[in-house]
């Protein structure tokens, strides 16, 4: 079962207490693909500038990530610069240069239109709607967004929320969308807006799944050293969607395991800069961590 | 197996978006007792003013809570007033009147000195040391504290930490004690200071247990309505210590279950003002919630 992702492709420059990288691979579509491709083929739709070195992502091609939907425009690739501190909850954005991403109009290649699993990464909800209008009815639409669109394009965002099956949010975003400070109540209210499944990403506090009036919690994997938190949310989404797509059916148990796989992948991702840790991640290391998650949460 | 608790007894006045109470029963020793007495007998050491109406806690006596260590001093009982907002993470203290608690010198009745389980609620670490000096070597010393003592009486606090077996902290307190922003690292470092077991209370994000290089996570029970968060930490401690004392042995599995019972009791406690919800809490309601916790965290 293959997955379609529409999102950003970027060059990130990141400083953390553990070091720094300049113009490393980033963007929601790439983080997502590096994670989801551990489970199933991925079709990417995005835009890069003429400065983008496609050979740098050739490892993804080997993992059945298809680049036919990556368009090269004249100009520079989207660039983001950020700085994290010892307390990783604090982040400064140093710059955001949209470049060719500013005029991105997602065009879905014909061969992608029958996608069964569609991940709408965090981009302008108007573009997310354009994507949905170009594809056949997929089995599952998974939506990500951010505070910028919640306050700036609420009407369009509400329309995408109505049309999606699963929404991923952080706790603050769930409060903003629902107007409820209680995240448990916020989650239910958002589900009533459309999505059957709501997932709240809580960073170091883990993730919460809501489905048919039931909740499930996964902790963040305990790490003494987080090298770079960039892309944690998108690699979580990639692990989750990849796992669910691989199974091809939506049951409580598959969703739960999806959240655990997403959490495990995100925990690997933050152990190194960019998505370097996901490039050569071994299946046995992933399964070992899944087993650890069991010990972290299950009791007799 | 009985438990000794030394802590505060107070009259609380609390306002929340769901209502308010004036001079309701409060204080760490009472919240703890209301919870722990669901599992085992509790011996309380504390001080009240001559205005304290002991008949109001007679329900605790029926649950084998012993008041021989509650001293009545002339003057008024400790009073605290607070206001919570729709976002329960924000709390204003309206007043703190220590009254008779200001000169509290814990005197352990002879019949309590052989206590096997001792909970040192959040009071001045100098007083906590006085308690330890008055009792025989107990099986387990469980310690609670707060930022006020971490910054104000660090040397004495370090001495209590060295002598305790289990410490309960919130994430911010663990960062302050260890000087490490990463709570996972903070936990290990604090354990190296003395306590074999470190428990991090994370409020709406649940609780984390550290024991012998292993971690365990319990979520907070998902509640759409938290009526009054006062005493959540102390009722958690009461549930945890009560459960562990009832079992009388310290294994990974007992500690895990203790954290789950503590979380369940705390979740009941916040459903009403003061510890009203714990007064008539039925065993079957508690067991039902424990079962729910399993569904919330375990996966196949």
């Amino acid at each position: 079962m293959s997955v379609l992702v529409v999102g950003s492709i970027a060059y990130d420059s990141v400083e953390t207490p553990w070091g720094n990288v300049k113009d490393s691979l980033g963007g929601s579509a790439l983080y997502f693909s590096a994670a989801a491709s551990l489970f199933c083929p991925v079709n990417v739709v995005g835009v890069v500038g003429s400065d983008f070195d496609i050979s740098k992502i050739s490892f993804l091609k080997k993992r059945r990530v298809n680049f036919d939907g990556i368009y090269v425009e004249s100009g520079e690739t989207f660039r983001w610069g950020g700085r994290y501190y010892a307390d990783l909850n604090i982040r400064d954005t140093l710059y955001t240069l949209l470049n060719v991403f500013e005029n991105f109009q997602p065009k879905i290649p014909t061969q992608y239109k029958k996608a069964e699993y569609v991940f709408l990464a965090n981009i302008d909800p108007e573009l997310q709607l354009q994507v949905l209008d170009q594809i056949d009815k997929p089995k599952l639409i998974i939506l990500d967004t951010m505070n910028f669109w919640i306050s700036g394009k609420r009407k369009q965002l509400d329309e995408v929320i109505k049309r999606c099956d699963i929404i991923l949010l952080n706790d603050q975003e769930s409060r903003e969308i629902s107007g409820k400070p209680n995240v448990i109540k916020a989650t239910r209210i958002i589900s009533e807006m459309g999505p059957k499944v709501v997932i709240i990403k809580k960073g170091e506090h883990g993730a919460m799944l809501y489905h048919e009036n039931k909740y499930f919690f996964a902790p963040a994997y305990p790490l003494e050293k987080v090298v770079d938190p960039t892309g944690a949310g998108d690699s979580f989404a990639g692990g989750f969607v990849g796992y669910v797509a691989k199974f091809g059916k939506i049951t409580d148990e598959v969703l739960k395991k999806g959240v655990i796989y997403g959490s495990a992948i995100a925990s690997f991702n933050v152990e190194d800069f960019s998505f370097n840790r996901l490039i050569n991640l071994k299946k046995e290391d992933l399964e070992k961590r899944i087993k650890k998650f069991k010990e972290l949460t299950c009791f007799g």
Side-chain angles (χ1 to χ4, degrees), chain A:
Chain A
M1 217 59 73
S2 70
V3 172
L4 170 65
V5 51
V6 185
S8 62
I9 298 170
Y11 277 135
D12 290 344
S13 293
V14 178
E15 301 170 30
T16 86
W18 310 104
N20 64 82
V21 285
K22 209 177 146 39
D23 287 343
S24 66
L25 292 167
S28 56
L30 290 192
Y31 274 106
F32 178 90
S33 300
S37 61
L38 291 161
F39 302 93
C40 60
V42 180
N43 298 323
V44 186
V45 172
V47 63
V48 296
S50 43
D51 59 340
F52 191 78
D53 182 359
I54 202 101
S55 74
K56 289 245 175 82
I57 52 172
S58 56
F59 81 96
L60 287 174
K61 219 162 196 164
K62 284 184 210 151
R63 292 222 295 245
R64 301 168 297 164
V65 179
N66 188 301
F67 300 156
D68 292 353
I70 298 183
Y71 300 94
V72 184
E73 303 286 349
S74 66
E76 292 205 345
T77 300
F78 179 16
R79 273 171 171 76
W80 177 80
R83 184 183 289 143
Y84 296 88
Y85 298 87
D87 179 347
L88 294 165
N89 297 306
I90 305 165
R91 172 172 96 174
D92 287 339
T93 287
L94 301 178
Y95 57 83
T96 304
L97 304 168
L98 291 176
N99 297 328
V100 296
F101 193 62
E102 190 161 10
N103 299 310
F104 177 47
Q105 296 283 331
K107 200 177 158 298
I108 311 300
T110 315
Q111 67 273 30
Y112 290 5
K113 294 195 178 198
K114 288 191 178 308
E116 291 196 294
Y117 295 86
V118 177
F119 179 64
L120 301 171
N122 164 34
I123 57 172
D124 185 333
E126 284 190 43
L127 302 187
Q128 293 176 324
L129 288 173
Q130 283 179 25
V131 171
L132 295 184
D133 289 340
Q134 290 177 64
I135 54 175
D136 298 344
K137 176 87 193 91
K139 204 161 169 176
L140 216 59
I141 299 165
I142 304 99
L143 173 66
D144 191 17
T145 190
M146 72 184 290
N147 52 2
F148 185 73
W149 309 119
I150 297 169
S151 52
K153 297 219 176 172
R154 185 57 198 263
K155 203 172 140 259
Q156 296 89 333
L157 178 61
D158 279 353
E159 182 61 26
V160 200
I161 291 176
K162 204 171 147 186
R163 290 170 70 177
C164 78
D165 303 289
I166 301 182
I167 187 169
L168 302 168
L169 298 164
N170 67 34
D171 29 13
Q172 195 45 37
E173 290 158 359
S174 77
R175 291 188 176 107
E176 280 176 51
I177 289 180
S178 66
K180 301 293 173 190
N182 179 307
V183 174
I184 304 301
K185 187 180 279 180
T187 303
R188 181 176 52 77
I189 285 173
I190 292 165
S191 181
E192 286 166 4
M193 293 169 68
K196 288 185 299 286
V197 177
V198 180
I199 293 175
I200 308 293
K201 300 173 290 179
K202 305 198 291 177
E204 62 172 321
H205 302 300
M208 180 178 92
L209 166 76
Y210 175 83
H211 179 224
E212 291 176 348
N213 274 310
K214 290 190 291 288
Y215 294 87
F216 175 71
F217 294 87
Y221 189 77
L223 293 173
E224 286 207 7
K225 188 173 165 182
V226 170
V227 173
D228 176 10
T230 312
D234 292 308
S235 57
F236 171 91
F240 170 76
V241 176
Y243 182 86
V244 171
K246 185 183 160 194
F247 265 79
K249 57 176 184 178
I250 318 301
T251 66
D252 270 354
E253 207 49 44
V254 168
L255 290 169
K256 283 180 178 187
K257 279 290 250 319
V259 168
I260 295 291
Y261 272 88
S263 303
I265 300 272
S267 74
F268 281 116
N269 187 67
V270 301
E271 288 181 351
D272 202 346
F273 285 98
S274 184
F275 39 81
N276 294 337
R277 185 67 183 87
L278 302 186
I279 297 177
N280 295 309
L281 181 62
K282 286 183 194 143
K283 209 180 156 58
E284 58 258 39
D285 289 337
L286 176 56
E287 290 307 319
K288 209 184 274 176
R289 193 156 289 186
I290 298 296
K291 221 172 141 186
K292 281 271 182 193
F293 267 92
K294 248 194 158 97
E295 294 167 22
L296 288 174
T297 58
C298 295
F299 59 93

